[in-house]
Amino acid sequence: MTHYAAPVEEMRFVLEHVADFASVRALPGCGDVTSDLVTAILEQAGRFGTDVLAPINQNGDTKGAVFDAGGVRTPEGFAEAYRQFVEGEWNGLPFAAEFGGQNLPWVLHTAVQEIWHAANMSFGLCPMLTQGAIDLLLAHASPEQKNLFLPRLVSGEWTGTMNLTESQAGSDLSRIRTRALPVAGASGTYRLIGQKIFITYGEHDMAENIIHLVLARLPETPPGVRGISLFIVPKFLVAADGTLARRNDVWCSSLEHKLGIRASPTAAMSLGDDDGAVGYLVGEAHHGLEYMFTMMNNARLAVGLEGVAIAERAYQQARAYARERIQGRSLRSGSGSEAVPIIHHPDIRRMLMTMKALIEAARGLAYYTAAWIDIARRHPVPSVRAEADSRVALLTPIVKAWSTDIGMEVANLGIQVHGGTGFIETTGAAQHLRDARIAAIYEGTNGIQANDLVSRKVLRDGGAGARLMIAEMNAALSAPAEKTLPPLRAGLRDALAALARATDWLVETKDPVAAQAGAVPYLHLFGLTLGGFMFARAVRAMKGLRAAGGNGAFLSAKVVTARFYAERLLPQTTSLLAAVMAGAESVMALPEEDF
Amino acid sequence: MTHYAAPVEEMRFVLEHVADFASVRALPGCGDVTSDLVTAILEQAGRFGTDVLAPINQNGDTKGAVFDAGGVRTPEGFAEAYRQFVEGEWNGLPFAAEFGGQNLPWVLHTAVQEIWHAANMSFGLCPMLTQGAIDLLLAHASPEQKNLFLPRLVSGEWTGTMNLTESQAGSDLSRIRTRALPVAGASGTYRLIGQKIFITYGEHDMAENIIHLVLARLPETPPGVRGISLFIVPKFLVAADGTLARRNDVWCSSLEHKLGIRASPTAAMSLGDDDGAVGYLVGEAHHGLEYMFTMMNNARLAVGLEGVAIAERAYQQARAYARERIQGRSLRSGSGSEAVPIIHHPDIRRMLMTMKALIEAARGLAYYTAAWIDIARRHPVPSVRAEADSRVALLTPIVKAWSTDIGMEVANLGIQVHGGTGFIETTGAAQHLRDARIAAIYEGTNGIQANDLVSRKVLRDGGAGARLMIAEMNAALSAPAEKTLPPLRAGLRDALAALARATDWLVETKDPVAAQAGAVPYLHLFGLTLGGFMFARAVRAMKGLRAAGGNGAFLSAKVVTARFYAERLLPQTTSLLAAVMAGAESVMALPEEDF
């Protein structure tokens, strides 16, 4: 069992000074979210993470979720932890009071969710999927559907799933084959028949009902994405008064044996083995994929956050080991001196600093993006909401892909800090890498995120949104000297020049193949630069905080980390620019058979 | 079960044109290793890998090695495969005929060993450890010891181990506590008492005897590295006539549950639970670590090769999936067209090309280095041998660390090419990442390799050896135009300038802390540049091979890959230079408690 403690001071700092919580507090309905309330919530969530979720993480991985004649059983402690989670009203934190939620800002929810993911990524997936289902129903369900399903999804008594993937339809959802046949005389009701795979928490023993959101085709629809509709398929049908009725014809047929997140059941689902699974059409027919994509931003942000969270967990474990493991002499004392903890060795520090710097950059970006979600949802002025929406759309694929790549990189470094011990499963360091690995794949692979960024978020508006973001970052360069750090200013200036040049190149090249061939390096270039901007925002706040008697050690550490990021990591932007501008030729030249 | 086929054409090409097999063939005892013989050996080894070793790889991972009252059992098929391996006389390929070996060049052995590692890394570890033991005994054992132990180690009837690590002595072997007490009246014989951990193939059921090479301390020796001696501790004692006598007091006490290489038993060993394990001193007392390091170069090269091999395996699997998985439309055909294999998509190609280019660069470097080992061992002129020795010493940490980092990167990309399927263990792609992970840790972590490179291989001679290598690479830039590729020439020129500057900086800075803080980026910078040089050597051979009617598709693919490497990967050298020259300040500034 490895320890986890929520980095509450860092989270508060990032919320207030990087994500600019003040602007969130100014939004309607957010005025009473005081700094003290934020602290209280983070500390309480931190205790829940430390005391309840983290202790069952490793055993959950070892035992895994099990499927047999009795159904799906999550590992010991999961059902009880989930009961406490619901009882503590954690599930409804960001949702509308109308359905029993607490209506707190999304950015605060984001910080809290980081704690769930870090303490126990397998556990955190369950509320994460429910959150996706809630978002989707809030946006597209009928008032009756909302009243029937949302209160108990918001409370967490019921959980939600996304039934998208089929074996022939993964990244390419146009290939979905599950059919939905209208039930005569029952408008809006269908019988669904098909097979779904990779359904996270598709079946489990933690809640009394599971609300599946299922993509399927109506009869005689055109092939491709236009023929796909979205349905609510509850595990147990729900009577009009909200009581549970008969078991629906939707069944788990097997669980996957996965590299990581093993405590979370990943189910193959069979719909309609018997008389067809009863499903209720959401919104209009043929708009299923479109609806699914409206909630994708939040889900992708949540997955990006998993990258931050698992990285934090891996960092905490590596840091503890580096402080305690005695091995080798210090370079700075004479020979013959005592052996020292390995945290004294420069290369161990290089790894820990890399981990720390990447985490803080990615956390800043995730919270910053979440604050824009609040503005997009709550700001009274429509044009500001629209602007915020564009900003969220631009940043979301970066948060998702860059942060999850960081999750793997940091978890990998965490193993390396441990040396041979890191390769032994009982240590727990390897689990973080195994868990982190999925986040770069699901909710749209990181390659798909990069194509989304380049094609839909940059090229579609001729680079306007990207250039707006770049201009805003450039403005940070002209902050007064006492609010900047010279190496960071220099590093960010170069990174911004590279990002601007890569953006211009993509826009001017007008070749979709070249754009996609350069998409992943472009996304990394954008992410690294944004990370530098997040540190610039942090540094800007320093002087005031020091004057106000802030925690000097914390603030100094932030400055050291910013400098490390600027000197060691930001220069990667130069190489990434070269990779983008290399274009598609050498990527595409090889005939398929000559690979 | 996933397929593996040895890339024989590529291996032959790299041997002949990158590693310059002609210069090896000119060495004493190598004249009859014709091109046809090389091909025959590679093809035969390839068949053994494909037919015998690869088919038991995945089941070996799933079942793992097991330890119980009956001892250690390797997974189904391993013992039988090893029997065939010994019978096929594969084990003695590079060793002296005097002890039953075939005396073939080390560079050819390296290519063959790549096949074992790629087909089944867990299996390949057993002969790899035996090889280390043989090298050590060849260099330091007495004639009697050699005659007693080497013939059956060379044949593979007996296997070898390295008993170095103890729980408090990992990277820092000076902390070893295992004791060796002289046996009165039996000169050179000792009783060993202690506990060792992480002993690869420390116990197993594949051979009738296991020869442990054990580091231990004589009584009343000074602390630190000077007090450590090396002992031969056979599992079964061996009578003077070579027959097996009684069981020695050296026992497996447990096996580790590891992230990867699960079929290979990693044992905790207990010496002297009863009356002390009988051990025979090798060479002189107190020189144990020194002896161990003389065989380290070969062992480190072999581990680097594991990186190449597992990357090749991951690449083959990803390539097969990318050709067969249908998903999405081609960007280059109109909309509404048929879905295509994902190998058509630019980002999938980016990943496959990255994998292919890194593998070919790292393979080139590994074989190139192995050819220098042959020169160092066999060249008639002592000064040439000494020069070759220095070259091997310089390149070895780079082969070890850079190639094993590539092993992980490529295996990780291999999962990503598979999308969600890659995360499912039955697919087999995840195993490659889990297997690859250890190679960056054992035989000296990659951080230790980087420190070795910087401190002992670059700074100790004031940069002379490194500059000699750089000069040799620079000479490739002035090859006639028809023997170069302009983008590669340009990329290599910039990379060489960065490497020269980083080398000068390290030499001039004279700060060991700064050197170690920059060691890993420096090693990567060196590796990437050497990779470019390997492609330059490949390109140089093109014109002649085309004129001689070589395989046009293969040669064209090599040129495309070289260009991809130059345009997409070599530019990383710029960022690495910046990281090196950032120095130690931001790495070391944070007080330990503020991490």
Side-chain angles (χ1 to χ4, degrees):
Chain A
M1 185 189 119
T2 66
H3 187 68
Y4 165 72
V8 172
E9 181 162 23
E10 157 77 3
M11 289 174 152
R12 285 179 50 208
F13 176 90
V14 175
L15 283 174
E16 296 288 348
H17 306 294
V18 178
D20 189 16
F21 203 83
S23 70
V24 172
R25 215 170 261 132
L27 296 169
C30 297
D32 53 354
V33 190
T34 61
S35 178
D36 285 350
L37 179 61
V38 167
T39 304
I41 289 173
L42 291 177
E43 285 180 346
Q44 207 182 329
R47 279 192 296 275
F48 193 79
T50 300
D51 298 341
V52 180
L53 300 182
I56 58 175
N57 185 47
Q58 192 171 12
N59 182 62
D61 175 67
T62 309
K63 299 288 164 47
V66 175
F67 173 63
D68 59 22
V72 170
R73 276 170 289 116
T74 52
E76 194 184 337
F78 272 62
E80 170 57 20
Y82 189 72
R83 197 192 57 72
Q84 292 180 41
F85 183 82
V86 172
E87 200 174 272
E89 295 183 39
W90 289 113
N91 201 62
L93 199 137
F95 300 113
E98 181 187 355
F99 299 108
Q102 299 185 47
N103 198 31
L104 286 164
W106 199 263
V107 65
L108 176 57
H109 166 60
T110 298
V112 169
Q113 197 172 23
E114 184 196 318
I115 296 174
W116 312 148
H117 289 327
N120 193 324
M121 184 166 155
S122 279
F123 179 93
L125 276 168
C126 186
M128 186 174 120
L129 268 290
T130 304
Q131 165 189 314
I134 293 169
D135 275 335
L136 216 158
L137 295 175
L138 277 171
H140 303 293
S142 69
E144 295 73 26
Q145 288 171 337
K146 287 183 187 173
N147 286 328
L148 198 58
F149 294 107
L150 279 177
R152 274 183 274 187
L153 284 169
V154 169
S155 72
E157 288 162 277
W158 299 348
T159 69
T161 78
M162 298 289 149
N163 275 243
L164 284 63
T165 305
E166 300 176 10
S167 60
Q168 79 293 346
S171 298
D172 181 359
L173 290 170
S174 71
R175 296 167 69 82
I176 279 177
R177 290 185 194 143
T178 295
R179 288 169 302 141
L181 311 172
V183 175
S187 169
T189 303
Y190 293 78
R191 297 273 176 179
L192 277 72
I193 299 158
Q195 309 292 326
K196 296 283 179 179
I197 61 167
F198 296 168
I199 311 306
T200 303
Y201 277 95
E203 179 62 54
H204 61 83
D205 55 0
M206 286 159 47
E208 62 177 0
N209 204 6
I210 301 173
I211 310 304
H212 302 287
L213 296 180
V214 183
L215 290 180
R217 289 184 181 285
L218 296 180
E220 289 156 38
T221 51
V225 296
R226 281 183 306 273
I228 297 172
S229 305
L230 178 69
F231 301 87
I232 299 168
V233 179
K235 175 179 170 184
F236 287 99
L237 298 181
V238 181
D241 65 355
T243 57
L244 296 190
R246 74 173 172 85
R247 183 71 166 80
N248 201 0
D249 190 15
V250 51
W251 305 93
C252 170
S253 56
S254 66
L255 294 186
E256 303 292 352
H257 176 52
K258 309 187 297 291
L259 176 63
I261 52 165
R262 289 182 179 162
S264 68
T266 300
M269 301 298 295
S270 190
L271 293 94
D273 280 358
D274 187 6
D275 54 350
V278 174
Y280 311 105
L281 182 68
V282 176
E284 291 177 43
H286 309 320
H287 288 262
L289 265 190
E290 181 191 317
Y291 297 161
M292 202 51 90
F293 276 100
T294 59
M295 72 97 215
M296 223 46 131
N297 274 342
N298 291 349
R300 288 179 169 178
L301 179 62
V303 172
L305 193 66
E306 287 184 323
V308 179
I310 205 78
E312 172 70 32
R313 181 73 185 261
Y315 170 68
Q316 290 192 15
Q317 186 166 357
R319 178 181 64 189
Y321 186 81
R323 282 174 174 157
E324 126 205 326
R325 172 73 171 167
I326 309 287
Q327 204 82 171
R329 308 290 174 282
S330 171
L331 270 182
R332 282 191 164 143
S333 41
S335 76
S337 61
E338 284 300 290
V340 295
I342 59 172
I343 197 170
H344 287 256
H345 302 318
D347 189 59
I348 298 289
R349 279 181 171 260
R350 175 192 63 82
M351 293 193 274
L352 290 173
M353 286 302 301
T354 302
M355 297 165 85
K356 182 172 163 61
L358 287 173
I359 292 166
E360 292 181 15
R363 176 182 289 122
L365 181 59
Y367 291 13
Y368 173 84
T369 306
W372 281 106
I373 292 182
D374 285 312
I375 294 170
R377 288 182 171 186
R378 302 193 191 230
H379 200 280
V381 180
S383 66
V384 176
R385 289 204 300 275
E387 219 176 283
D389 246 342
S390 305
R391 179 57 59 88
V392 171
L394 174 72
L395 296 179
T396 295
I398 304 172
V399 173
K400 196 282 184 182
W402 187 57
S403 305
T404 56
D405 283 344
I406 284 173
M408 289 191 289
E409 181 176 350
V410 170
N412 197 43
L413 286 170
I415 293 176
Q416 196 69 17
V417 168
H418 282 81
T421 306
F423 197 65
I424 307 302
E425 286 286 4
T426 41
T427 307
Q431 183 191 343
H432 305 318
L433 178 61
R434 291 190 288 95
D435 285 350
R437 189 63 191 82
I438 188 59
I441 297 173
Y442 61 20
E443 209 62 44
T445 65
N446 285 3
I448 284 177
Q449 303 300 322
N451 286 341
D452 175 61
L453 172 68
V454 167
S455 308
R456 279 189 285 270
K457 310 301 169 56
V458 174
L459 295 183
R460 190 171 285 173
D461 71 359
R467 286 179 183 135
L468 201 67
M469 184 76 239
I470 293 169
E472 200 173 314
M473 292 194 273
N474 265 311
L477 296 178
S478 47
E482 77 272 17
K483 294 191 166 181
T484 58
L485 181 70
L488 178 61
R489 194 206 292 248
L492 187 55
R493 187 192 55 225
D494 294 349
L496 280 162
L499 178 60
R501 200 159 160 222
T503 305
D504 291 347
W505 187 88
L506 284 173
V507 171
E508 284 155 21
T509 301
K510 292 191 198 334
D511 173 8
V513 177
Q516 292 202 6
V520 164
Y522 180 75
L523 184 144
H524 281 143
L525 167 53
F526 216 141
L528 270 168
T529 307
L530 283 162
F533 178 54
M534 297 304 140
F535 275 113
R537 291 169 73 89
V539 166
R540 198 183 50 182
M542 286 297 141
K543 204 188 167 203
L545 289 167
R546 282 220 168 87
N551 177 347
F554 175 83
L555 298 175
S556 298
K558 183 63 81 177
V559 173
V560 169
T561 311
R563 183 174 167 193
F564 180 91
Y565 186 89
E567 292 178 344
R568 289 271 175 158
L569 304 175
L570 267 183
Q572 292 170 11
T573 49
T574 315
S575 314
L576 292 164
L577 172 65
V580 172
M581 290 180 56
E585 210 172 303
S586 67
V587 177
M588 303 304 288
L590 207 59
E592 190 183 313
E593 61 275 16
D594 292 344
F595 271 87
Chain B
M1 187 189 118
T2 66
H3 187 68
Y4 165 74
V8 172
E9 181 162 22
E10 157 77 4
M11 289 173 151
R12 284 178 51 208
F13 177 90
V14 175
L15 284 174
E16 296 288 347
H17 306 293
V18 178
D20 189 16
F21 203 83
S23 70
V24 172
R25 215 170 261 132
L27 295 169
C30 298
D32 53 355
V33 190
T34 62
S35 178
D36 285 350
L37 178 61
V38 167
T39 303
I41 289 174
L42 291 177
E43 286 180 347
Q44 207 181 329
R47 278 192 296 275
F48 193 78
T50 300
D51 298 342
V52 180
L53 299 182
I56 57 174
N57 184 47
Q58 192 171 11
N59 181 63
D61 176 66
T62 309
K63 299 287 164 49
V66 174
F67 173 64
D68 58 23
V72 170
R73 277 171 289 115
T74 53
E76 194 183 339
F78 272 62
E80 170 58 21
Y82 189 73
R83 197 191 56 72
Q84 291 180 43
F85 183 84
V86 172
E87 200 174 273
E89 295 182 38
W90 289 113
N91 200 62
L93 199 136
F95 299 112
E98 180 188 356
F99 299 108
Q102 300 185 48
N103 197 30
L104 286 163
W106 199 263
V107 64
L108 176 57
H109 166 60
T110 297
V112 169
Q113 196 172 23
E114 183 196 319
I115 296 175
W116 312 148
H117 290 326
N120 193 324
M121 184 167 155
S122 279
F123 179 92
L125 275 168
C126 186
M128 185 174 122
L129 268 289
T130 305
Q131 165 189 312
I134 293 168
D135 275 334
L136 216 157
L137 295 176
L138 277 171
H140 303 292
S142 69
E144 295 72 27
Q145 289 171 337
K146 287 182 187 175
N147 286 329
L148 199 59
F149 295 108
L150 279 176
R152 275 184 271 189
L153 283 169
V154 167
S155 72
E157 288 163 278
W158 299 349
T159 69
T161 78
M162 298 291 150
N163 276 242
L164 284 62
T165 305
E166 300 177 9
S167 60
Q168 79 293 346
S171 298
D172 181 1
L173 290 170
S174 71
R175 297 168 68 81
I176 279 177
R177 291 186 194 141
T178 294
R179 288 169 301 142
L181 310 173
V183 174
S187 168
T189 303
Y190 294 77
R191 297 275 176 177
L192 276 72
I193 300 158
Q195 309 293 325
K196 295 284 180 179
I197 61 167
F198 296 169
I199 309 308
T200 302
Y201 277 94
E203 178 61 53
H204 61 82
D205 56 0
M206 285 158 48
E208 61 177 0
N209 203 7
I210 301 173
I211 309 304
H212 302 287
L213 296 179
V214 183
L215 291 181
R217 289 185 181 286
L218 297 180
E220 289 156 38
T221 51
V225 296
R226 280 183 308 273
I228 297 172
S229 304
L230 177 69
F231 300 87
I232 299 169
V233 179
K235 175 179 168 183
F236 288 98
L237 298 182
V238 181
D241 65 355
T243 57
L244 296 190
R246 73 172 173 86
R247 183 72 166 80
N248 201 358
D249 190 14
V250 51
W251 304 93
C252 171
S253 55
S254 66
L255 294 186
E256 303 292 351
H257 176 52
K258 308 187 297 291
L259 175 63
I261 52 166
R262 289 182 179 162
S264 68
T266 301
M269 301 298 294
S270 190
L271 292 94
D273 281 357
D274 188 5
D275 55 350
V278 174
Y280 311 105
L281 182 68
V282 176
E284 291 177 44
H286 310 318
H287 288 262
L289 265 190
E290 180 192 318
Y291 296 161
M292 201 51 89
F293 276 100
T294 59
M295 72 98 214
M296 223 47 131
N297 274 342
N298 290 349
R300 290 180 168 176
L301 179 64
V303 171
L305 193 65
E306 287 184 323
V308 178
I310 205 77
E312 172 71 32
R313 182 73 185 261
Y315 170 68
Q316 290 192 16
Q317 185 165 358
R319 178 180 65 188
Y321 186 80
R323 282 174 175 156
E324 129 205 322
R325 171 73 171 167
I326 309 287
Q327 204 80 173
R329 309 287 174 286
S330 170
L331 269 182
R332 283 194 163 140
S333 41
S335 75
S337 62
E338 285 298 290
V340 294
I342 60 173
I343 197 171
H344 287 257
H345 302 317
D347 190 58
I348 299 289
R349 279 180 171 261
R350 175 192 63 82
M351 292 192 275
L352 290 173
M353 287 301 300
T354 303
M355 297 165 85
K356 183 171 163 61
L358 287 173
I359 292 165
E360 293 180 16
R363 177 182 289 122
L365 181 60
Y367 292 12
Y368 173 84
T369 305
W372 281 107
I373 291 182
D374 285 312
I375 295 169
R377 289 182 171 185
R378 301 191 191 232
H379 201 281
V381 181
S383 66
V384 176
R385 288 203 302 274
E387 219 176 283
D389 246 342
S390 304
R391 179 57 58 88
V392 171
L394 174 72
L395 296 179
T396 295
I398 304 173
V399 173
K400 196 283 183 181
W402 186 57
S403 305
T404 55
D405 283 343
I406 283 173
M408 289 192 288
E409 181 176 350
V410 170
N412 196 44
L413 285 170
I415 294 177
Q416 195 69 17
V417 168
H418 283 81
T421 306
F423 197 66
I424 307 301
E425 286 286 4
T426 42
T427 306
Q431 183 191 343
H432 305 318
L433 178 62
R434 291 190 288 94
D435 285 351
R437 189 64 190 82
I438 189 59
I441 297 172
Y442 60 19
E443 210 61 44
T445 66
N446 285 2
I448 284 177
Q449 303 300 323
N451 286 341
D452 175 59
L453 172 67
V454 168
S455 307
R456 278 189 285 271
K457 311 300 168 59
V458 174
L459 295 184
R460 189 171 286 173
D461 70 1
R467 285 180 184 135
L468 201 67
M469 184 76 239
I470 293 169
E472 200 173 314
M473 292 194 273
N474 264 312
L477 296 177
S478 48
E482 77 273 17
K483 293 192 168 181
T484 59
L485 180 71
L488 178 60
R489 194 206 295 246
L492 187 55
R493 188 193 53 226
D494 294 349
L496 280 163
L499 178 60
R501 199 158 161 223
T503 305
D504 291 347
W505 187 88
L506 284 173
V507 171
E508 285 156 21
T509 301
K510 293 191 199 330
D511 173 8
V513 177
Q516 292 202 6
V520 165
Y522 180 76
L523 184 144
H524 282 142
L525 167 52
F526 216 140
L528 269 167
T529 307
L530 283 162
F533 177 55
M534 297 305 139
F535 276 113
R537 290 168 73 90
V539 167
R540 198 183 49 181
M542 286 297 142
K543 202 184 169 207
L545 289 167
R546 283 220 167 87
N551 177 347
F554 175 83
L555 298 175
S556 298
K558 184 63 81 178
V559 173
V560 169
T561 310
R563 183 174 165 191
F564 180 92
Y565 186 88
E567 293 178 344
R568 290 270 175 159
L569 303 175
L570 267 183
Q572 291 170 13
T573 49
T574 315
S575 314
L576 292 164
L577 172 64
V580 172
M581 291 179 56
E585 209 172 303
S586 67
V587 177
M588 302 304 286
L590 208 58
E592 190 184 312
E593 61 276 16
D594 292 344
F595 271 85

